[in-house]
Amino acid sequence: MTDLLRTAEDLRKLTYDGQRAIVMTMGALHEGHASLIRRARELAGPEGQVLVTVFVNPLQFGAGEDLDRYPRTLDADLVIAERAGADAVFAPYTDEVYPGGEPQVRLSAGPMGERLEGATRPGHFDGMLTVVAKLLHLTAPDIALYGQKDAQQLALIKRMVKDLNFPVEIIGVPTVREADGLALSSRNRYLSDAERRTALALSAALFAGRDRLTAQAALHARAQAAPASKARAKALGALGEARAAADAHAVAQAHTGGPAAVRAAARCVLDDAARAQPPLLLDYLALVDPSDFTEITDGFTGEAILAVAAKVGTTRLIDNIPLTFGAAV
Ligand SMILES: Nc1ncnc2c1ncn2[C@@H]1O[C@H](COP(=O)(O)OP(=O)(O)OP(=O)(O)O)[C@@H](O)[C@H]1O
Ligand SMILES: CC(C)(CO)[C@@H](O)C(=O)[O-]
Ligand code: BAL
């Protein structure tokens, strides 16, 4: 049976052998959270301990955001946490986390925290890092797991742990999606059926960007493998083989188009959704370097993140996928 802990004192009494792994959440648990908990169980091993925290942190909500209506479903959360392999759930009251009221001393997320999500939600990442630091101090885990769905959050937590020497290993866990692509999110439950249909454009846009990169990379690989294609196109053209000539020409001209083509493919899907009923209101579409969340430019090679944020009705959703830009892109 999963223990429910309410206070720091309860936590102090909780003993364990081996490794302690922690999964921090704001509750309203779903299959995305469950995959983090299952991974935590694997990493901690049967001897170790898996702790889940459930706390809707007021500090990371801005004025006019959804702090008051954020779903609170602790009874159901306990069942999901237990089934996924948690040993205990720490669900503190606000006074327990902030005994002195609003903290005067807070963490600052720095420049990375002012981009994308931070630009739309000023102060959000300072509040998020402040509570993550407090929960790390309270629970003292060996391992802490976070979802890649909140990619900028994950990057900032990794940066905080490195910059401030927190003795914990941070693990990112891939995004869990519905069968139709929508990333699982506690906020999905705000969506009506029609809004959910429009919201599918977020993941569809990301997949369109990824498909464009894949197609361009394949064309580029063919061009590399057939350096004589230009000459071949000319010869085929002379023989009147128009389609083969056009294909050979395309192969010869192939270049991956780089970040701009990926952004354009994703943008197309979002533009269509902006004309849907109900419409999608785009906040940002960005193709960024995961180390600092600045936009990547032509010639970039390595890991990148294609990220999107948009509102459908009153619900604001985010999503992203990792992309790899090859050396010749
Ligand atoms: N679909 C998902 N796949 C994997 N991890 C996820 C998914 N959704 C959330 N997480 C991770 O679960 C942890 C807790 O997130 P949180 O409680 O905010 O859930 P959420 O569904 O992202 O909620 P919200 O809708 O408020 O953003 C975070 O590390 C987050 O990245
Ligand atoms: C990490 C976190 C639990 C801090 O409140 C929250 O931002 C979340 O649920 O992603
Ligand atoms: N899942 C990120 C937490 C937040 O939106 O406040």
Side-chain angles (χ1 to χ4, degrees):
M1 181 68 192
T2 301
D3 292 324
L4 174 61
L5 315 174
R6 289 297 201 172
T7 65
E9 185 55 30
D10 291 342
L11 261 180
R12 266 192 292 277
K13 288 188 202 141
L14 190 71
T15 57
Y16 65 102
D17 295 319
Q19 297 235 299
R20 174 179 272 180
I22 185 167
V23 173
M24 296 180 189
T25 79
M26 301 205 304
L29 300 191
H30 50 64
E31 194 46 37
H33 300 115
S35 87
L36 264 70
I37 300 168
R38 282 194 292 271
R39 185 82 189 110
R41 180 85 269 162
E42 280 166 18
L43 293 171
E47 301 303 320
Q49 186 177 70
V50 175
L51 257 181
V52 173
T53 65
V54 171
F55 180 62
V56 184
N57 172 36
L59 223 57
Q60 67 190 70
F61 286 79
E65 290 187 9
D66 57 344
L67 173 63
D68 292 337
R69 74 162 174 154
Y70 198 84
R72 285 148 171 102
T73 59
L74 187 57
D75 290 342
D77 293 347
L78 291 172
V79 175
I80 293 174
E82 176 165 7
R83 284 196 188 136
D87 295 304
V89 171
F90 177 50
Y93 296 107
T94 305
D95 296 356
E96 189 69 24
V97 179
Y98 299 115
E102 277 213 12
Q104 306 221 341
V105 177
R106 302 175 187 210
L107 278 162
S108 161
M112 200 199 323
E114 286 166 15
R115 300 180 186 130
L116 304 193
E117 282 302 285
T120 301
R121 305 182 68 187
H124 164 65
F125 285 126
D126 295 355
M128 179 280 291
L129 287 181
T130 302
V131 86
V132 168
K134 285 176 77 85
L135 291 171
L136 287 173
H137 290 318
L138 285 167
T139 58
D142 301 287
I143 309 163
L145 298 92
Y146 301 88
Q148 281 164 9
K149 198 209 77 177
D150 297 279
Q152 197 175 1
Q153 166 172 289
L154 172 61
L156 281 163
I157 293 171
K158 282 186 173 163
R159 191 70 209 225
M160 173 184 78
V161 162
K162 190 171 165 195
D163 286 353
L164 301 181
N165 299 87
F166 278 64
V168 62
E169 185 185 354
I170 303 298
I171 309 275
V173 178
T175 302
V176 177
R177 298 179 179 282
E178 304 273 14
D180 57 9
L182 187 71
L184 294 190
S185 165
S186 304
R187 289 182 169 104
N188 289 352
R189 60 183 80 195
Y190 299 150
L191 298 169
S192 69
D193 289 349
E195 287 169 344
R196 192 189 178 287
R197 276 194 292 280
T198 297
L200 275 178
L202 274 89
S203 54
L206 301 178
F207 300 154
R210 180 194 58 196
D211 292 348
R212 174 67 59 91
L213 182 64
T214 308
Q216 289 173 332
L219 206 53
H220 185 75
R222 279 179 64 199
Q224 296 293 100
S229 288
K230 224 172 192 166
R232 197 166 157 260
K234 229 177 161 181
L236 285 167
L239 288 171
E241 293 193 29
R243 276 182 57 193
D247 184 49
H249 184 72
V251 169
Q253 297 297 309
H255 65 96
T256 58
V262 171
R263 285 190 194 95
R267 184 68 204 224
C268 237
V269 176
L270 296 166
D271 286 348
D272 279 351
R275 290 186 290 270
Q277 211 40 258
L280 175 143
L281 278 169
L282 183 64
D283 181 347
Y284 61 76
L285 169 70
L287 183 51
V288 295
D289 181 336
S291 67
D292 59 5
F293 277 73
T294 56
E295 290 283 344
I296 63 165
T297 50
D298 281 350
F300 176 90
T301 61
E303 301 303 314
I305 288 179
L306 182 60
V308 62
K311 248 183 159 179
V312 183
T314 56
T315 307
R316 185 173 180 280
L317 297 170
I318 60 172
D319 197 357
N320 71 86
I321 49 167
L323 295 177
T324 305
F325 283 76
V329 174

